[in-house]
Amino acid sequence: MQERTYKARQAQYLLLKAPPAAGKSRALMFVALDKMLHQARAKTIVCVPETSIGGSFRSTDLTSYGFEANWDVEDKWNLCITGEDATTQKVKAFEAFFDSDAKVLICTHATFRFGFEMVEANRGLSAFDECFIAIDEFHHVSASDHNRLGVILRSLMQQNKCHLMAMTGSYFRGDADPVLRLEDEERFTTIVYSYYEQLESYRFLKALGINYEFYKGTYVNGLEGVLDEHKKTIIHIPHRGSSEAFDDKYNEVGRIIDKIGKITKRDSETGFDIVLTHTGRIIRVADLVDDGPGRENVKAALAREIKGPDGKRNDEADRAKVDIIIALGMAKEGFDWVWCEHALTIGYRSSLTEIVQIIGRATRDAPGKPKAIFTNLVAEPGVETGAVTNAVNDMLKAISGSLLMEQVLSPNFKFYRREDGDIRDPVHVDEQGNVQIGIKNLIEPPTARAREICEQDMQDLMAAACQEMDKRALLPDTAPEVVNQMVLTDIIEKRYHNLNEQETEAVRQQLAAHMNIVSMARQEQQQQLEHAKAQLNGNNEETLPPQQREDGEEGVLLSAPNTLLEMVKKFINVKDLDVELIDSVNVFRERFEVASKSFDSTLLAHVQSAMVALRIAMTADEARTLWPRIKLFRAQEGREPNLHSENLLEKRMAEAQAWLKHEKAKRLRDGAI
């Protein structure tokens, strides 16, 4: 991955998509040094989402390993470790950096936003012309006009002077806004390194297991059999205010530790709790939930690597330093604990990005760690096991797709009221890449507040609706009007207390449309397939798919379903993936679990083939024609064709190979061969 990135170092705009723990920070160092030494860049600014990630970009010895220079960052200019207020002293230091002889500055996204505004106001946008600016965890950027970091990025690109590098381990946001506008992304040179490539290159870690476990009562009841004191574990307790949070955060941490054993003392040097387990072992627990003055000591101890006499990491001592970390909002993206074997997340998470980032905490390569595990422990939904299994299977496919850097989110739909005589195509794409869909009789948001909710909070509302359906045990035969009218209205009224009746109804209609549009497209696709089969079988009965579909209760009419189908088909919908990832379903007295197959490189390659086969346009004739070239390529290069190659022929061969694998697997399952 670092070699691919370094080869592209001359590009003005670089976009690096690679899984968590792939070494993106080191790749940046190589590129930044080359930019400053050979490409007339005077300064480098590295932006990270939170201060704890700044340590990944500390001074690093590179010359000992053959590079021409070391990565040197003065502590004064690493604004992630100064301890000052981000809105005052750090912003002043950001501007002072431009008058100094220093070459590298590390800061948070927030400091960069405020500092950019100050520098632009006092010096003009041209102050950044000779800079190389790197944005870590780039999925925090959005093409939306409301995202300040995205607006700054576009202004720098319009100036077209500075050089930019964007890095992310998950090219998705928690909402449906695209990270970059299409015209902006096309200007970037993109380097993609998938998770199964990463696993193939690891010395020790070779597989990832993903489990969904369910509990009754409080989540402490579900810890037995899930929390293994012998595995190095990060526990993320539920968000405050969520239904899974049953007490204040301090008491919940206490209940978790009670489940493990008893605190005997607190280490004065590290701040870790020394716990005598019920099995008689002594383990060390780092509490990052307690936000008192002692937390900085705990954070420093976790970041401090234990070294041997030779100055290198002492693996045995460093591994024994801590056994369990308990966190709430910390220890997610960018957090570096190489020994973590198990990421245990308690409570529903509505953001796929957050899940992938948490998984990344366990996927760093380390001696004695052949497999990493991610477990999501959530409240038992109260529906039949088969329905839960299907839902979890969809989430597993989405996670594996994200790890493979495939686009698994649905299009960003925008709905508008369609009037009689409207000459616009009822389904079209606007300048921002949103799929605009006209709906008759739709109540448009009547106020600025209602519009803001529809534009910014829709993904959160959809996640809340899905979870509410689970909690209420809404089965497939539940009347649609109960879901559309009562449940969705109830969710909106609880979340937004001050909306009037018209605002609530407008938001509810938007939410219902967002939740139903993809399934409507899928129904349309199924009808078209049935029609095609009937024609092939010589069926004379007319079964043409309807050109219009109406929801009588809502009075919603969608036109041009064929156009809608084409729009939706451009994106991967995880429910259409014909890949079974569930390994077993076990029902217990207090909880039941859904365990995934082990995500090793072979299975991930299989998932990628299925996703590529859904996305590309490929005929059987073209695939067969390319097959001899594929075999010759493998013989000459000693590897498979790369889906992300800049060579268009190699990329097409990789797509053909994925298509052939998927078709062969489908025929085997259907018993055709």
Side-chain angles (χ1 to χ4, degrees):
M1 181 275 293
Q2 291 170 359
E3 180 184 9
R4 288 182 199 168
T5 306
Y6 192 68
K7 284 181 178 179
R9 65 191 181 277
Q10 295 290 338
Q12 182 176 358
Y13 304 128
L14 275 172
L15 174 58
L16 173 57
K17 304 179 186 180
K24 295 186 289 294
S25 57
R26 185 68 58 90
L28 164 68
M29 294 175 193
F30 293 135
V31 172
L33 287 168
D34 189 86
K35 293 280 187 187
M36 292 187 291
L37 291 170
H38 306 298
Q39 299 183 46
R41 298 298 98 191
K43 294 178 180 292
T44 291
I45 300 173
V46 181
C47 313
V48 298
E50 60 181 66
T51 56
S52 62
I53 303 177
S56 299
F57 299 95
R58 58 184 175 270
S59 295
T60 303
D61 174 20
L62 300 176
T63 56
S64 297
Y65 302 94
F67 197 65
E68 62 179 314
N70 288 325
W71 176 256
D72 293 319
V73 184
E74 299 175 50
D75 286 349
K76 177 182 179 180
W77 302 112
N78 188 340
L79 304 186
C80 292
I81 63 174
T82 61
E84 301 287 354
D85 182 357
T87 61
T88 55
Q89 298 304 317
K90 288 186 178 182
V91 175
K92 293 178 181 177
F94 184 94
E95 185 176 23
F97 172 69
F98 286 82
D99 294 322
S100 72
D101 294 330
K103 295 294 186 182
V104 180
L105 178 131
I106 314 294
C107 67
T108 63
H109 289 176
T111 301
F112 178 71
R113 292 197 304 270
F114 293 127
F116 178 90
E117 291 172 356
M118 178 178 284
V119 171
E120 184 182 28
N122 296 337
R123 301 163 184 256
L125 194 59
S126 60
F128 296 92
D129 286 356
E130 296 182 358
C131 290
F132 173 53
I133 300 173
I135 301 176
D136 193 24
E137 307 298 352
F138 190 60
H139 51 271
H140 287 267
V141 173
S142 164
S144 167
D145 290 333
H146 302 290
N147 184 277
R148 181 59 185 149
L149 196 56
V151 171
I152 290 172
L153 183 72
R154 287 195 295 278
S155 68
L156 290 170
M157 293 181 71
Q158 287 170 2
Q159 186 84 345
N160 201 30
K161 296 289 187 181
C162 76
H163 289 208
L164 298 171
M165 180 170 175
M167 301 175 293
T168 181
S170 176
Y171 197 61
F172 313 108
R173 291 175 49 81
D175 52 30
D177 283 331
V179 176
L180 285 175
R181 291 177 179 172
L182 183 60
E183 63 270 23
D184 292 330
E185 185 166 359
E186 287 176 345
R187 297 177 66 185
F188 278 81
T189 297
T190 303
I191 300 97
V192 178
Y193 188 71
S194 70
Y195 186 77
Y196 83 86
E197 287 181 289
Q198 183 183 11
L199 275 182
E200 287 279 84
S201 69
Y202 274 172
R203 290 179 58 198
F204 307 104
L205 181 62
K206 293 298 180 183
L208 167 67
I210 298 179
N211 298 331
Y212 275 71
E213 306 242 358
F214 300 84
Y215 65 86
K216 293 180 179 179
T218 67
Y219 67 76
V220 175
N221 297 335
L223 289 176
E224 187 174 351
V226 175
L227 177 56
D228 184 348
E229 67 183 61
H230 295 88
K231 292 187 182 299
K232 302 292 184 180
T233 303
I234 297 178
I235 303 172
H236 283 101
I237 67 173
H239 297 308
R240 300 301 87 189
S242 68
S243 59
E244 293 94 345
F246 63 90
D247 206 336
D248 70 55
K249 60 185 181 180
Y250 307 108
N251 287 338
E252 287 186 21
V253 171
R255 292 284 300 276
I256 292 172
I257 293 178
D258 288 344
K259 202 74 176 177
I260 302 169
K262 181 180 180 181
I263 297 176
T264 60
K265 65 175 182 178
R266 175 163 289 182
D267 188 295
S268 58
E269 182 180 351
T270 64
F272 299 161
D273 291 320
I274 310 302
V275 177
L276 174 65
T277 71
H278 297 308
T279 60
R281 297 177 66 238
I282 296 292
I283 65 172
R284 293 164 176 80
V285 178
D287 180 2
L288 290 175
V289 177
D290 188 344
D291 49 12
R295 184 161 72 175
E296 291 304 314
N297 192 31
V298 173
K299 288 169 59 178
L302 289 172
R304 193 163 50 243
E305 197 172 65
I306 299 179
K307 301 182 182 296
D310 58 357
K312 296 181 179 180
R313 184 182 69 197
N314 183 320
D315 285 351
E316 184 177 355
D318 197 61
R319 190 179 194 280
K321 178 175 66 177
V322 67
D323 298 283
I324 294 175
I325 297 173
I326 305 177
L328 178 55
M330 303 182 71
K332 294 178 183 176
E333 58 187 8
F335 182 78
D336 189 2
W337 183 31
V338 68
W339 307 108
C340 178
E341 302 168 90
H342 186 194
L344 171 56
T345 298
I346 301 169
Y348 287 95
R349 295 297 194 268
S350 60
S351 168
L352 177 61
T353 296
E354 182 180 5
I355 292 173
V356 172
Q357 288 293 341
I358 291 173
I359 290 173
R361 300 319 99 214
T363 55
R364 295 183 184 272
D365 197 27
K369 191 169 84 171
K371 182 176 181 177
I373 299 170
F374 166 76
T375 301
N376 196 186
L377 178 63
V378 294
E380 183 175 321
V383 299
E384 60 176 286
T385 303
V388 175
T389 301
N390 291 336
V392 172
N393 195 28
D394 289 339
M395 178 57 76
L396 292 175
K397 287 183 285 191
I399 290 171
S400 60
S402 183
L403 292 170
L404 291 165
M405 299 293 127
E406 296 289 348
Q407 173 57 281
V408 298
L409 295 180
S410 296
N412 189 18
F413 293 120
K414 300 285 185 181
F415 301 98
Y416 66 92
R417 182 183 179 90
R418 183 167 174 79
E419 305 287 358
D420 291 336
D422 192 332
I423 62 173
R424 288 177 294 179
D425 187 334
V427 182
H428 60 277
V429 179
D430 64 18
E431 294 179 355
Q432 286 74 42
N434 302 310
V435 178
Q436 294 276 359
I437 300 177
I439 300 179
K440 287 188 176 181
N441 301 326
L442 181 75
I443 299 177
E444 292 195 336
T447 63
R449 177 60 176 143
R451 284 193 297 274
E452 181 183 8
I453 292 170
C454 293
E455 290 172 1
Q456 298 185 20
D457 295 356
M458 195 52 63
Q459 287 297 117
D460 287 342
L461 283 172
M462 290 171 66
C466 291
Q467 292 177 24
E468 190 66 25
M469 290 175 194
D470 284 345
K471 293 171 190 171
R472 298 190 185 204
L474 296 175
L475 299 177
D477 58 355
T478 302
E481 58 269 21
V482 173
V483 178
N484 284 333
Q485 293 282 355
M486 297 175 59
V487 178
L488 299 188
T489 300
D490 188 44
I491 290 169
I492 295 164
E493 288 178 344
K494 284 181 178 178
R495 190 179 182 105
Y496 308 103
H497 303 291
N498 298 322
L499 295 184
N500 61 37
E501 185 174 338
Q502 189 178 21
E503 290 172 319
T504 300
E505 178 60 13
V507 174
R508 187 198 65 76
Q509 288 190 11
Q510 290 277 339
L511 177 56
H514 274 87
M515 295 188 68
N516 293 333
I517 197 68
V518 173
S519 64
M520 292 173 70
R522 195 178 302 116
Q523 292 172 10
E524 188 65 44
Q525 180 186 27
Q526 184 61 37
Q527 289 192 13
Q528 291 187 10
L529 288 173
E530 291 174 358
H531 172 62
K533 287 180 181 178
Q535 288 184 322
L536 288 173
N537 293 332
N539 191 337
N540 295 324
E541 198 175 316
E542 279 298 321
T543 55
L544 286 171
Q547 296 304 305
Q548 296 177 333
R549 179 177 300 283
E550 186 168 1
D551 178 350
E553 174 78 23
E554 299 291 306
V556 173
L557 184 67
L558 287 180
S559 302
N562 292 340
T563 309
L564 172 62
L565 179 61
E566 291 168 7
M567 298 288 186
V568 175
K569 283 289 286 181
K570 289 181 180 178
F571 292 75
I572 293 174
N573 186 303
V574 293
K575 283 191 175 294
D576 293 331
L577 278 176
D578 189 15
V579 183
E580 181 56 57
L581 300 180
I582 298 299
D583 191 35
S584 62
V585 179
N586 299 313
V587 181
F588 293 95
R589 180 167 55 89
E590 281 296 314
R591 61 183 172 82
F592 63 92
E593 65 179 15
V594 181
S596 77
K597 291 181 178 178
S598 179
F599 279 112
D600 57 15
S601 58
T602 302
L603 180 60
L604 284 167
H606 172 58
V607 172
Q608 187 170 46
S609 294
M611 288 186 160
V612 170
L614 280 176
R615 190 188 64 214
I616 63 170
M618 176 73 64
T619 64
D621 287 341
E622 183 184 2
R624 281 193 293 266
T625 301
L626 286 171
W627 179 240
R629 280 183 175 270
I630 295 170
K631 291 193 292 184
L632 180 62
F633 181 92
R634 291 192 304 201
Q636 291 178 342
E637 301 293 332
R639 63 177 176 85
E640 304 284 354
N642 190 335
L643 281 163
H644 306 293
S645 173
E646 293 184 2
N647 183 293
L648 295 180
L649 178 58
E650 180 183 349
K651 182 178 181 180
R652 193 58 176 167
M653 286 192 292
E655 291 173 343
Q657 180 172 264
W659 188 89
L660 287 165
K661 286 181 179 178
H662 180 66
E663 289 299 306
K664 180 179 179 181
K666 188 165 66 174
R667 288 197 300 271
L668 284 169
R669 285 192 298 273
D670 294 342
I673 56 174

